[in-house]
Every structure is written in structure tokens, then in C-alpha cells.
Amino acid sequence: MPHGHEDTPSLSSLTRGLAAVGPLLDSCGYAVLDGLLPPCFALALHDEMATLHRQQLLRPHRFGFKSSPSAPVRIVRKPHIYEAELSEPHVREHAASIGTVSELVATAAGAAFPELQLCPGPNGQGTAVKLQCNEGHGGCFPLHFDNAGPPSCRKLTCLVYLNPSWAEGDGGELELVPWLAPPVRIPPLGGRVVLFRSDLVLHRVLPSLVCRFCFTIWIDGARTNEDKLVLPKSRSPREVCAELGRSGAQRLLSRAVYADEYEASLAACMASTQELCSEMVAQHRAHVAQCDASGPLAKLVHAARELKGEIDEIAGEIVGGPTAPSVAAAAVPP
Ligand code: FE2
């Protein structure tokens, strides 16, 4: 049994708290939980992160990029983002409480959401924990899925925000873009836990103007990515698209259906590295053009864009646009 900070929540309280949003997670693909972690404990987690950053134990975020299928992979840097894996011994040493609570949350999620068939194992097996600092100055992430397809087995993303003083205007909100549904913008309030399906929920991080700490727990599932894109002759492309919200197959269409949103989020993320930004936008446009030119896929993309257009219109009428705040919160039993 892990132990640590005196305010560490118990496994049973975490399991109860998570189970309370099980129906939301199932119906929407995401849920937002406030109050799962005692405020004193959330502050202790923040202090661990701040110390790690001060000691330069978080590295600049880097990722591989190929400007074309035949080009070599280049390792490039995402501006203003620093991170570390909890599995690195020198990180774990300075992040005892984050390590303890990550293990507890993963175990609790396995018990709270049996239908997801999560498989967190002992000693961090089946889970990955990333610690992250967004230094501000507009640091952000473009649209992506946490599980882009096999061989990834990630099923559930649990994000824990640690900034006690976050205020409107600071930026750094998480924007979830559920398939053909209005986007949801979630402020990164300190102590807040956001859960979403790694394989089903497209999302981005909006530019942050202040330094922001968080960590993410990814939990594998036993049967992740088993669904295939099936096109029964009796169903129209429109009918097929309308049902893809619960299928990872939506990822095949996502970039083409949300082409403008992907491009805008890429531009926001890479604005400070102009040449690389242009290459990434060009690669994105080439991918979209390829989808638009490929028979059956193009029919689905077209149908999904029509459906999305109808949702955008309704969302605009109701809440004033796709970036309006909308948080599904749940009270946690004491
Ligand atoms: Fe993500």
C-alpha cells in the first residue's frame, strides 16, 4: 500500500469519487471532477512540481516530425513546454506524493469503471505518468488524440491540474472536441481532475499566459483499439458518421473533418518557429487533400462535415460559439 503525505486521499474515497462520474464518462466520453483531492494535498503536489522545475529536472518537450512520408524524422521542440516521466528514478525521487496518488487514482479508476476494462498493474504497469510545466508565453498543444491508434493501449486519460491561483484570462484551458458535438472549454483550476477517453476525445491546450503545472495519468485498457471502421451497405455515410462518437475509427476522419481547427491549433502552438510551423501546416493540408481524394473515405468525410456544420450552427445559436465555456462538474461524496 503506498503511503506519503498525511492528506493523501484513501483508495476508497478516490474510487467513490470517480464512480460518481462514471455515467458522465460513459455518455459524454469525459467528466470533470472538483474536490477529489483535498486542497492541502493538491498544494503539496504543486510544490513537488515547482521544485522539480526549479531543479531543472523537467526537460523541454520534443517530438518527431516528418515533413513528408519519405523525409527523415526530425526531433523538434514544442515551445515553452517542459516535462518528465514519473518512471525516471531521479524524477520519482522528488515526486513521492505524485507517485503515490497516481498509483491510487489508477487503481481506483480500474475499480470505478469496470466497463472500460482498465488494466493498471502493480508498480506502474499499464499506466504512464507525465509531469508537465507550461511556462506561459503562449505555450500550448495542438489538436490530438492521446491514443492515435495501435499499438497504443491507452484507454483513459486522467489530468490533474495544480495551479491554485488560476484566473480567467490566464489561458491554458483544456478544450475537448467530442466527435460532432460542441467543443467544451475547461479551465485548469487547481486540484481539478479531468477524465476523458484517450481513444475517443480529440483535444487541445489553449495558449497559456502564466506558468502552469499539471500531470497526466494514462491507463491502458484490455481491449483498446479493437473496433474497426465498418461500412454496412444498408447504412448511409451520414448514419455511419453519426455513430462514430463511440468508435476509435473516428480518428481516421478527424483531421479532415476538423481541418480548419487542426490548422489553427497548429499555428497557435508553433507560431514562434515560423519555418517549422509552415512545414507542419503544409503536411496537415497534404493529409487532408489525401483524405478528400480517396473514394469511400471522402464520402464519409463529406457526410461528417455536413453533420458538424449543423452542430456548429446550433452551438453558435445556444452558447455564442465553439469556444464558449461548458463544464460538466460533479460533486464528490465526502
Ligand atoms: Fe493530450
Side-chain angles (χ1 to χ4, degrees):
M1 177 69 184
H3 55 273
H5 193 276
E6 58 184 12
D7 292 313
T8 306
S10 68
L11 180 60
S12 59
S13 74
L14 289 172
T15 305
R16 272 201 314 275
L18 293 177
V21 294
L24 266 176
L25 183 62
D26 183 53
S27 59
C28 305
Y30 67 89
V32 181
L33 263 169
D34 288 323
L36 188 68
L37 307 177
C40 284
F41 185 65
L43 272 179
L45 301 178
H46 174 274
D47 290 349
E48 283 187 356
M49 291 279 305
T51 302
L52 280 162
H53 190 46
R54 222 174 19 248
Q55 295 181 345
Q56 301 189 338
L57 294 173
L58 306 180
R59 293 180 307 275
H61 175 105
R62 292 190 165 86
F63 61 100
F65 171 66
K66 285 170 74 155
S67 56
S68 72
S70 58
V73 177
R74 278 150 56 199
I75 304 298
V76 295
R77 189 178 160 184
K78 188 164 288 163
H80 313 302
I81 307 292
Y82 293 79
E83 60 189 18
E85 311 276 346
L86 188 63
S87 57
E88 298 169 64
H90 67 284
V91 174
R92 182 93 193 194
E93 190 185 319
H94 293 85
S97 295
I98 293 175
T100 300
V101 78
S102 298
E103 206 171 311
L104 286 167
V105 166
T107 306
F113 313 126
E115 65 286 356
L116 295 184
Q117 300 185 39
L118 300 175
C119 38
N123 304 316
Q125 289 166 8
T127 62
V129 182
K130 183 162 276 185
L131 284 54
Q132 191 182 85
C133 169
N134 183 331
E135 277 208 316
H137 314 293
C140 57
F141 279 80
L143 280 173
H144 66 280
F145 289 93
D146 281 358
N147 178 336
S152 173
C153 292
R154 287 178 184 172
K155 189 78 163 183
L156 184 69
T157 298
C158 308
L159 251 168
V160 183
Y161 289 112
L162 297 176
N163 277 39
S165 59
W166 187 89
E168 193 71 40
D170 285 348
E173 296 94 337
L174 175 69
E175 187 168 274
L176 303 180
V177 186
W179 177 249
L180 304 183
V184 179
R185 191 171 284 191
I186 301 169
L189 300 181
R192 172 169 276 180
V193 176
V194 183
L195 308 170
F196 60 90
R197 285 284 301 271
S198 313
D199 54 338
L200 296 183
V201 181
L202 184 66
H203 60 283
R204 65 182 288 200
V205 176
L206 298 174
S208 183
L209 303 179
V210 298
C211 183
R212 193 200 74 172
F213 293 110
C214 66
F215 65 95
T216 307
I217 309 162
W218 290 290
I219 311 171
D220 289 351
R223 302 185 60 193
T224 312
N225 290 329
E226 282 192 354
D227 51 340
K228 301 277 182 282
L229 183 55
V230 183
L231 297 174
K233 286 202 165 53
S234 58
R235 319 288 305 278
S236 70
R238 204 175 155 90
E239 286 172 315
V240 172
C241 284
E243 292 174 6
L244 285 181
R246 285 180 174 269
S247 166
Q250 64 174 269
R251 292 171 296 188
L252 293 171
L253 313 177
S254 172
R255 191 175 277 268
V257 174
Y258 288 90
D260 292 345
E261 290 86 347
Y262 267 86
E263 187 166 324
S265 70
L266 261 181
C269 181
M270 303 305 294
S272 59
T273 53
Q274 199 57 51
E275 196 177 326
L276 181 59
C277 182
S278 302
E279 284 184 67
M280 294 178 83
V281 167
Q283 183 214 43
H284 163 68
R285 288 180 182 171
H287 177 93
V288 173
Q290 203 174 21
C291 290
D292 282 337
S294 68
L297 197 60
K299 276 189 192 161
L300 283 174
V301 168
H302 182 72
R305 281 182 186 144
E306 273 187 1
L307 285 164
K308 176 178 172 292
E310 291 163 20
I311 297 291
D312 285 348
E313 262 178 48
I314 295 167
E317 283 169 22
I318 295 173
V319 295
T323 56
S326 170
V327 176
V332 182

